[in-house]
């Protein structure tokens, strides 16, 4: 009954295999550790350890035999060379990431008590995205692991800049994106000595530049009047919408160049261009212009065509058989 | 002239937002072109039109507060330094990472008991192969004999120490949640490797593929980098551990199986439900207790550290406890032979115009040259 249970079968097999060893007291076992130097010399293994070969197969794992410590003799005094792993994370799938993660944890332990500043006051930094980071180190880091890592990075970055130690700064550099968008400062539009402010606007694939000066409401686009340039009334209205919405239609003259795209694109590119020029003259008009929808660049472009579809989204007509 | 009646044009909100209308007058003006004509003006102060003085004052106060932080911190540190010894005696508290900060060299029975290393699993879960480690049953669970734990732990520590002394590579594996700091610390102490993520099946048996990207370095008896082996490191096979310490054998069957196949000795924490035959050296203990794991990991790490220290001390005195691997030796011999051949060729080229005496050198000469070079290089 009991002997038919698999676990007991296993046990019996082991007892047979290792019976002598099990009966020995520990002290004897330790003393009995021995190795032949032949096996060491003959071993083709690169390791300098030889272990007893297991004698019989077991049902589960055949663990290696015990190390014969007595045979691990000392060798001569000549210089040696052997390969060792460069990183303690050698046996993991992502050694570089693990090393840097452990280094960050160590920095947190060391410098975690330094005073921090509120997140709203911290210098904005664009950290590497998971994709960038994977590409940099060439390892398939998991998203969750990287998220935890960036959490540590942000915590370290929160340390007061004047108290931030050198090692922390160095460690954070590895996680910064190569191009920092937050360091870009928009060049302010100025009114030049002739009283002109030039604004640039884009919409769809059109580009427009508008020179806005104080005047009496004259508008010229590519050398033509507004009515000549835009056939549609709607386009004419949207081109000067910035002036119209703020009631400045008769207070400024506009000389503009528009190219690329179609009429709608050019008209709405002009809206943005004129709004920017106008804001250079009267900065306080910005909220009004924003409400009129003249400040934001419309980022929409033509959607690409997809395979299996007639256009971007249109499906082919259904044909019966 | 523009009629600047912002109240009429933009409603009440604009007036409310611009708390100082006088400063906005210029911003709204298009007529005062006199100043504009002289110099181009940049609207640098634009945001001020859209923030109230209260907001600005608050922001400035925050900035000022932040600027004061370094000085305050310095003062805090100095006061702390002065007053740290004042007041009543501080009593030792429980430190969660005490075992990692101050790893003990040996585990006493009290320490093992305090770490709950003796608590096994429910009696219905036991693996009868562990019978000889079990002291008895209490409250429905098996209790592991503390003396047995201590004896097995010391035996394992001895093995770790000797392997470290003989320049072996020790791998500490603990893939359960919370075991990461334990294996990392143990590996740091013992100068070995750690693994706290899943074992990639085939890391030993298919190591030419799995560990192909792993970086190796060639070291001498004092673990200093040895130059001149770049070619060999490019070509040689990845290394495998000489000893594996596994904190949770139950979850690491593939790893232990591979170790068995590659004849790598293993040390494992065997709870009452684990199979002791999976590992070479068992340490019966409660593998669900992180404290017990920290204690055992710390003791094994310290053992490895002692081994490394002994190895360095002996190496300083010229006693080296390990042999250069045969592959490395072969590489050195081949390199030196190539060098000797090159030397010979050069000598022949230089001699040929003079009349070509001793053009042919025997193999014995090459062997002699290799021997000389070997002496020079000390390899």
């Amino acid at each position: 009954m009991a002997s038919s249970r698999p676990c007991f079968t296993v046990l019996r097999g082991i007892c047979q295999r290792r019976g002598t060893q099990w009966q020995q007291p520990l002290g004897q076992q330790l003393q009995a550790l021995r190795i032949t130097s032949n096996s060491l010399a003959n071993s083709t293994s690169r390791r300098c350890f030889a272990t007893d070969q297991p004698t019989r197969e077991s049902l589960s794992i055949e663990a290696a035999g015990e190390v014969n410590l007595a045979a691990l003799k000392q060798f001569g005094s000549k210089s040696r060379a052997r390969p060792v792993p460069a990183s303690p994370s050698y046996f993991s799938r992502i050694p570089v990431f693990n090393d840097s993660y452990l280094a960050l944890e160590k920095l947190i332990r060391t410098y975690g008590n330094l005073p921090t500043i509120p997140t709203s006051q911290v210098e904005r930094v664009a950290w590497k995205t998971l994709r960038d980071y994977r590409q940099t180190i060439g390892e398939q880091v998991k998203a969750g692991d990287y998220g935890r890592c960036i959490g540590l990075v942000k915590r370290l970055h929160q340390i007061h800049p004047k108290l931030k130690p050198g090692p922390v700064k160095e460690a954070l550099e590895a996680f910064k994106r190569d191009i920092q968008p937050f360091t870009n400062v928009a060049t302010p539009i100025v009114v030049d000595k002739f009283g002109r402010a030039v604004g640039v606007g884009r919409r769809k694939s059109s580009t427009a530049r508008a020179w806005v000066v104080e005047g009496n409401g004259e508008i010229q686009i590519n050398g033509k009047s507004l009515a000549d340039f835009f056939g549609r009334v709607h386009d004419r209205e949207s081109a000067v919408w910035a002036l119209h919405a703020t009631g400045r239609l008769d207070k400024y003259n506009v000389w503009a160049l528009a190219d690329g795209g179609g009429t709608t694109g050019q008209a709405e590119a002009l809206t943005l261009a004129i709004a920017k020029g106008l804001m250079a003259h009267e900065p306080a008009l910005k909220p009004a212009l924003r409400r009129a929808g003249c400040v934001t660049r419309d980022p929409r472009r033509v959607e690409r065509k997809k395979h299996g579809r007639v256009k971007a989204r249109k499906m082919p007509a259904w044909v019966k058989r | 002239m523009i009629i600047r009646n912002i109240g009429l044009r933009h409603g009440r909100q604009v007036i409310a937002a611009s708390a100082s209308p006088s400063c906005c007058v210029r911003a709204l003006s298009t007529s005062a072109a006199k100043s504009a004509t002289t110099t181009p003006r940049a609207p640098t102060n634009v945001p001020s039109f859209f923030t109230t003085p209260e907001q600005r004052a608050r922001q400035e106060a925050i900035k000022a507060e932040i600027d004061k932080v370094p000085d305050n911190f310095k003062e805090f540190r100095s006061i702390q330094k002065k007053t740290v010894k004042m007041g009543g005696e501080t009593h030792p508290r429980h430190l969660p990472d005490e075992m990692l900060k101050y790893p003990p060299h040996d585990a006493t029975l009290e320490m093992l008991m305090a770490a709950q290393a003796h608590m096994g699993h429910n009696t219905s879960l036991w693996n009868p192969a562990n019978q000889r480690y079990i002291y008895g049953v209490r409250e429905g669970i098996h209790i592991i004999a503390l003396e047995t734990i201590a004896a097995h732990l010391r035996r394992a520590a001895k093995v770790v120490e000797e392997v470290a002394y003989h320049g072996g590579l020790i791998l500490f594996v603990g893939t359960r949640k919370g075991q990461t700091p334990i294996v990392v610390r143990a590996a740091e102490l013992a100068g070995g490797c750690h693994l706290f993520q899943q074992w990639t099946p085939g890391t030993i048996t298919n190591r030419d593929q799995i560990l192909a990207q792993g970086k190796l370095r060639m070291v001498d008896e004092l673990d200093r980098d040895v130059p001149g082996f770049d070619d060999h490191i490019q070509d040689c096979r990845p290394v495998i551990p000489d000893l594996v310490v596994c904190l949770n054998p139950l979850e690491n069957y593939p790893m232990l199986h591979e170790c068995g196949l590659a004849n790598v000795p293993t040390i494992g924490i065997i709870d009452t439900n684990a199979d002791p035959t999976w590992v070479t050296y068992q340490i019966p203990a409660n593998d669900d207790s992180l404290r017990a794991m920290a204690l055992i990991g710390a003791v094994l790490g310290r053992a490895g550290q002692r081994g490394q220290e002994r190895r360095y001390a002996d190496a300083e005195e010229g006693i080296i406890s390990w042999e250069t691997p045969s592959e490395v030796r072969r590489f050195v011999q081949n390199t030196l032979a190539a060098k000797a051949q090159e030397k010979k060729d050069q000598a022949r080229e230089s001699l040929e115009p003079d009349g070509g005496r001793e053009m042919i050198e025997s193999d014995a000469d090459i062997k002699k040259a290799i021997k000389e070079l070997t002496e020079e290089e000390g390899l």
Side-chain angles (χ1 to χ4, degrees), chain A residues 5 7-8 10-11 14 17-18 21-22 26 29-30 33 43-54 58-69 72-99 101-102 105-106 109 113-118 121 145 160-163 188-195 214 245-248 251-252 279-288 291, chain B residues 1-2 9-10 13-14 27-31 36-37 40-43 46 49-50 62-63 66-67 69-70 73 77 128-129 132 151-152 155 158-159 162-163 165-169 171 180 184 188 192-197 199-200 203 210-211 214-221 223 226 229 236-242 253 256-257 259-266 275 277-282 311 314 318-328 378-379:
Chain A
R5 285 169 61 189
C7 52
F8 281 110
V10 173
L11 183 63
I14 286 153
R17 181 163 73 86
R18 292 177 146 189
Q21 178 208 323
W22 279 27
L26 187 63
Q29 278 181 29
L30 281 173
L33 297 171
S43 164
T44 51
S45 160
R46 296 168 69 245
R47 296 176 295 119
C48 53
F49 291 99
T51 53
D52 287 337
Q53 284 294 332
S58 116
L59 290 178
S60 47
I61 292 180
E62 188 78 28
E66 295 183 348
V67 183
N68 271 333
L69 300 179
L72 295 171
K73 52 170 186 162
Q74 288 165 348
F75 305 98
S77 60
K78 273 186 193 168
S79 301
R80 304 292 157 84
R82 62 179 172 131
V84 293
S87 145
S89 309
Y90 180 74
F91 291 100
S92 80
R93 253 338 215 161
I94 40 173
V96 177
F97 172 76
N98 282 349
D99 282 348
Y101 185 81
L102 292 173
E105 274 195 332
K106 199 165 191 177
R109 279 201 300 275
N113 289 334
L114 290 178
T116 55
I117 54 178
Q121 304 295 321
D145 290 344
H160 193 286
K162 277 185 185 164
L163 297 169
I189 301 171
V190 294
V191 180
D192 67 8
K193 60 181 177 178
F194 304 112
E214 287 169 34
T246 50
R248 299 290 198 273
K251 308 292 184 291
Y252 288 95
M279 270 192 290
H281 285 281
E282 295 181 59
L285 283 183
K286 191 171 180 178
R291 281 196 296 276
Chain B
M1 285 287 118
I2 300 167
R9 219 174 285 128
H10 304 309
Q13 295 160 344
V14 176
L28 290 170
S29 166
T30 56
S31 62
T37 48
R41 60 188 158 82
V46 173
F49 295 119
F50 309 114
I62 291 172
K63 283 227 170 78
I66 287 170
D67 288 342
V69 166
F73 184 66
R77 275 281 163 92
R132 64 212 185 86
H152 280 79
R155 180 174 75 139
K158 177 75 177 162
V159 172
E162 287 306 309
V163 169
Y165 174 68
H166 291 286
L169 178 59
L171 171 63
T180 306
V184 169
E188 189 189 353
C193 290
H194 50 68
L195 181 73
F196 46 82
Q197 281 147 342
W199 169 266
T200 312
T203 307
I210 306 267
L211 292 179
K215 290 196 174 52
L216 294 172
R217 61 197 189 98
M218 205 56 91
V219 294
D220 65 358
E221 64 276 5
D223 283 1
V226 186
F229 282 96
C236 71
R237 294 191 76 188
V239 295
I240 58 172
D242 295 305
Y253 176 85
L256 295 172
H257 184 66
C259 289
L261 292 177
N263 209 16
V264 174
T266 48
D275 187 345
T277 61
W278 284 11
V279 293
T280 314
Y281 299 96
Q282 300 83 11
R311 182 163 68 83
D314 281 2
I319 305 162
I320 301 162
S321 51
W322 51 277
E323 187 63 288
T324 304
S326 53
E327 283 177 19
V328 178
L379 282 159

Side-chain angles (χ1 to χ4, degrees), chain A residues 290-307:
Chain A
R290 187 176 287 288
R291 281 196 296 276
C294 300
V295 175
T296 311
R297 157 78 156 106
D298 190 343
R300 291 175 296 174
R301 303 298 300 256
V302 177
E303 190 176 337
R304 60 153 289 195
K305 188 200 171 297
K306 281 91 179 175
H307 54 254

Side-chain angles (χ1 to χ4, degrees), chain A:
Chain A
M1 292 195 308
S3 61
S4 66
R5 285 169 61 189
C7 52
F8 281 110
T9 322
V10 173
L11 183 63
R12 202 178 55 207
I14 286 153
C15 284
Q16 278 170 6
R17 181 163 73 86
R18 292 177 146 189
T20 51
Q21 178 208 323
W22 279 27
Q23 283 151 19
Q24 282 173 341
L26 187 63
Q28 267 183 317
Q29 278 181 29
L30 281 173
Q31 278 175 6
L33 297 171
R34 47 121 200 78
I35 201 172
T36 54
S37 53
N38 297 347
S39 69
L40 199 70
N42 296 342
S43 164
T44 51
S45 160
R46 296 168 69 245
R47 296 176 295 119
C48 53
F49 291 99
T51 53
D52 287 337
Q53 284 294 332
T55 49
R56 280 182 49 176
E57 284 179 14
S58 116
L59 290 178
S60 47
I61 292 180
E62 188 78 28
E66 295 183 348
V67 183
N68 271 333
L69 300 179
L72 295 171
K73 52 170 186 162
Q74 288 165 348
F75 305 98
S77 60
K78 273 186 193 168
S79 301
R80 304 292 157 84
R82 62 179 172 131
V84 293
S87 145
S89 309
Y90 180 74
F91 291 100
S92 80
R93 253 338 215 161
I94 40 173
V96 177
F97 172 76
N98 282 349
D99 282 348
S100 54
Y101 185 81
L102 292 173
L104 287 177
E105 274 195 332
K106 199 165 191 177
L107 286 174
I108 291 268
R109 279 201 300 275
T110 319
Y111 301 115
N113 289 334
L114 290 178
T116 55
I117 54 178
T119 37
S120 58
Q121 304 295 321
V122 174
E123 178 207 353
R124 288 191 79 184
V125 171
W127 304 111
K128 271 184 186 151
T129 58
L130 176 63
R131 213 172 138 197
D132 289 348
Y133 187 73
R134 278 180 179 166
Q135 220 159 27
T136 317
I137 67 166
E139 290 173 0
Q140 276 299 308
V141 182
K142 284 183 183 172
D145 290 344
Y146 188 62
R148 273 186 287 281
C149 187
I150 285 295
L152 296 184
V153 165
K154 283 179 181 166
R155 172 62 185 75
L156 284 173
H157 186 58
Q158 229 183 310
I159 295 175
H160 193 286
K162 277 185 185 164
L163 297 169
K164 207 181 278 175
V168 173
K169 282 179 192 162
E170 274 172 40
L172 296 190
E173 279 305 312
F175 290 93
K176 280 183 184 169
R177 232 182 274 172
D178 294 338
I179 297 166
Q180 288 291 328
F182 299 121
T183 55
N184 293 349
V185 183
T187 326
I189 301 171
V190 294
V191 180
D192 67 8
K193 60 181 177 178
F194 304 112
R196 304 175 302 192
V198 59
V200 179
R202 293 187 183 88
R203 167 82 171 98
K204 291 189 179 178
S205 50
S206 311
T207 310
R209 285 167 290 166
W211 282 262
V212 180
V213 290
E214 287 169 34
N216 48 10
E218 285 173 32
I219 292 168
Q220 265 205 338
I221 302 158
N222 289 0
K224 295 177 183 172
S225 71
L226 191 66
D228 289 345
F229 194 75
F230 291 117
R232 275 178 80 205
V233 180
H234 187 271
D235 286 343
R236 287 177 211 162
E237 257 189 17
S238 47
V240 293
W241 189 251
L243 297 171
H244 184 85
T246 50
R248 299 290 198 273
L249 207 47
D250 55 345
K251 308 292 184 291
Y252 288 95
N253 289 351
V254 176
W255 190 87
L257 295 173
D259 67 306
T263 47
T264 313
Q266 289 188 346
E268 293 183 14
L270 273 168
T271 319
L272 185 58
I274 293 171
K276 280 184 182 173
L278 185 58
M279 270 192 290
H281 285 281
E282 295 181 59
L285 283 183
K286 191 171 180 178
L289 286 169
R290 187 176 287 288
R291 281 196 296 276
C294 300
V295 175
T296 311
R297 157 78 156 106
D298 190 343
R300 291 175 296 174
R301 303 298 300 256
V302 177
E303 190 176 337
R304 60 153 289 195
K305 188 200 171 297
K306 281 91 179 175
H307 54 254
R309 293 190 183 242
V310 181
K311 302 198 293 180
R313 303 200 178 177
K314 186 183 180 185
M315 288 299 286
W318 182 77
V319 183
K320 197 176 182 185
R321 276 172 296 278

Side-chain angles (χ1 to χ4, degrees), chain B residues 216-273:
Chain B
L216 294 172
R217 61 197 189 98
M218 205 56 91
V219 294
D220 65 358
E221 64 276 5
L222 287 169
D223 283 1
R224 295 170 302 204
D225 281 319
V226 186
F229 282 96
D230 294 344
D231 292 345
H232 180 60
I233 283 176
Q234 288 280 319
D235 300 337
C236 71
R237 294 191 76 188
V239 295
I240 58 172
D242 295 305
L243 178 71
V244 173
V245 179
C246 185
L247 299 187
N248 53 339
L250 278 178
E251 285 87 1
N252 284 305
Y253 176 85
M255 185 201 68
L256 295 172
H257 184 66
E258 283 180 37
C259 289
L261 292 177
N263 209 16
V264 174
T266 48
I267 295 174
I269 314 286
I270 300 297
D271 209 335
T272 54
N273 62 343

Side-chain angles (χ1 to χ4, degrees), chain B residues 109-121:
Chain B
L109 299 192
E110 289 87 347
M111 286 160 86
L112 286 168
M113 188 154 184
Q116 300 182 339
H118 61 296
M119 311 259 253
H121 276 275

